[in-house]
Amino acid sequence: MGRTGGPEAVCVGETMAVLTPADGAPADRGGDLAVGAGGAEANVASGLAALGHRAAWAGRLGDDPFGRMVAAELRARGVDTAAVEVDPARPTGLYLKDPDPAGSRVHYYRTGSAASAMGPRTRLPEGAHLVHASGITPALSPGCSALMDRLLAPDRPHGGPLVSFDVNHRPALWSAERAAPRLLELAAAADAVFVGADEAARLWGAGGAEEVRALLPGVPLLVVKDAGDDAVCFTGRDRVRVPALKTEVVEPVGAGDAFAAGFLSGLLRGLPVRERLRLGHLMAASCLRAPGDTAPPPPPGVRDRLLAADDQAWRSAVL
């Protein structure tokens, strides 16, 4: 329960309109485009809502058709948008997905977007147990970077919401050289951190999960994901590793956000670390099998069976 009966979790960042080829073919072949809403933080909020949590998204949209469509779609997914600010002058951001099972390309049209005007005074719902943000936001503008300083202030009130941070480096927004020290600084200040082993290597030269832990020794919950292989969670001196599920990959964008939603759901529910990681993998596998950035969770019966499975049954499961 949220402290005031409001959302349990608030996800903060930019949500954009998404154009995706309806047939899953490369975008330059032409054809119909499906229009939807996407953004790392909104994807996490959607995943949490799909798992039964009261989840909110906080950010800014333009006073335009794309902005109204984004807000309506998030509400349809069960996400609370009451804190969203509407900018009368700046447009809603837009991106085009160019599908490829080996790694889709994304083309952004977000310069000067309404979200880039976020800042330390951006309104957030009160009373949540958890605030989630990502390393995309500080790259959008100086104001957005200042917002991250507010969320992850070292002197933030004791007993306030846990702050979760997904490193989520986007080379199209800023180079690894420029992003590396800032993302490490923000990650070190968070209560829970998600980072891919590949991006940790690219940003910080880390050669595996143990080296990432050495860079972030004080983070209470550190999750290092190694694509389709496994995920490791460090809590203090303890380490839990859970292999990923075998599944067909239709489109990979959004799987990391789905994983974060599953893990954070387990955290909110008080599940053991191993089950949090398994729920993350279950959500990621469902997203990998879908053409969009989000997908419905596996049915409750499937989730319950696999969360309770022994290690051998988990390793042999195919979703």
Side-chain angles (χ1 to χ4, degrees):
M1 294 279 295
R3 291 177 175 81
T4 61
E8 296 171 84
V10 178
C11 301
V12 187
E14 180 169 32
T15 301
M16 295 172 285
V18 186
L19 302 179
T20 307
D23 60 1
D28 57 9
R29 293 185 185 176
D32 294 337
L33 293 173
V35 183
E41 298 82 7
N43 292 344
V44 174
S46 299
L48 286 168
L51 287 168
H53 297 279
R54 296 190 308 279
W57 171 67
R60 289 173 65 85
L61 295 169
D63 186 12
D64 52 35
F66 280 138
R68 290 185 283 277
M69 179 276 299
V70 165
E73 179 165 327
L74 291 181
R75 287 192 294 270
R77 296 179 191 172
V79 176
D80 183 343
T81 62
V84 174
E85 300 172 340
V86 176
D87 192 311
R90 298 175 179 85
T92 302
L94 173 70
Y95 71 90
L96 171 68
K97 280 203 331 185
D98 194 2
D100 187 331
S104 297
R105 296 183 62 192
V106 178
H107 304 271
Y108 294 106
Y109 306 89
R110 72 197 316 172
T111 302
S113 69
S116 69
M118 290 189 296
R121 295 185 179 180
T122 293
R123 183 164 62 99
L124 304 181
E126 296 182 355
H129 288 300
L130 175 75
V131 173
H132 178 75
S134 87
I136 296 171
T137 299
L140 300 180
S141 70
C144 287
S145 188
L147 169 61
M148 295 302 300
D149 287 331
R150 167 195 162 191
L151 296 178
L152 290 163
D155 60 349
R156 59 186 183 269
H158 179 72
L162 294 175
V163 181
S164 166
F165 179 70
D166 192 332
V167 171
N168 238 337
H169 174 235
R170 293 290 190 268
L173 290 174
W174 51 350
S175 68
E177 182 179 19
R178 189 162 68 91
R182 178 62 169 148
L183 292 176
L184 188 64
E185 173 191 27
L186 293 171
D191 300 302
V193 171
F194 301 92
V195 62
D198 56 344
E199 66 182 344
R202 182 174 67 246
L203 289 166
W204 308 316
E210 297 292 345
E211 291 190 18
V212 179
R213 185 52 165 173
L215 288 168
L216 296 166
V219 174
L221 283 171
L222 172 62
V223 179
V224 183
K225 302 168 293 177
D226 193 359
D229 292 332
D230 58 30
V232 181
C233 181
F234 296 90
T235 55
R237 295 182 179 180
D238 295 331
R239 181 186 71 170
V240 177
R241 182 187 302 269
V242 173
L245 287 167
K246 303 177 184 68
T247 192
E248 176 190 8
V249 177
V250 173
E251 212 284 316
V253 173
D257 304 325
F259 181 96
F263 184 94
L264 293 174
S265 174
L267 174 62
L268 289 168
R269 295 179 188 277
L271 298 182
V273 170
R274 187 174 304 278
E275 292 182 29
R276 297 177 204 171
L277 290 169
R278 286 187 175 187
L279 188 51
H281 283 312
L282 283 163
M283 292 292 286
S286 289
C287 189
L288 287 168
R289 297 172 61 201
D293 288 6
T294 61
V302 174
R303 297 201 307 265
D304 293 344
R305 174 173 58 81
L306 288 174
L307 289 179
D310 61 31
D311 288 345
Q312 182 176 353
W314 173 265
R315 286 192 297 270
S316 62
V318 178
L319 193 65

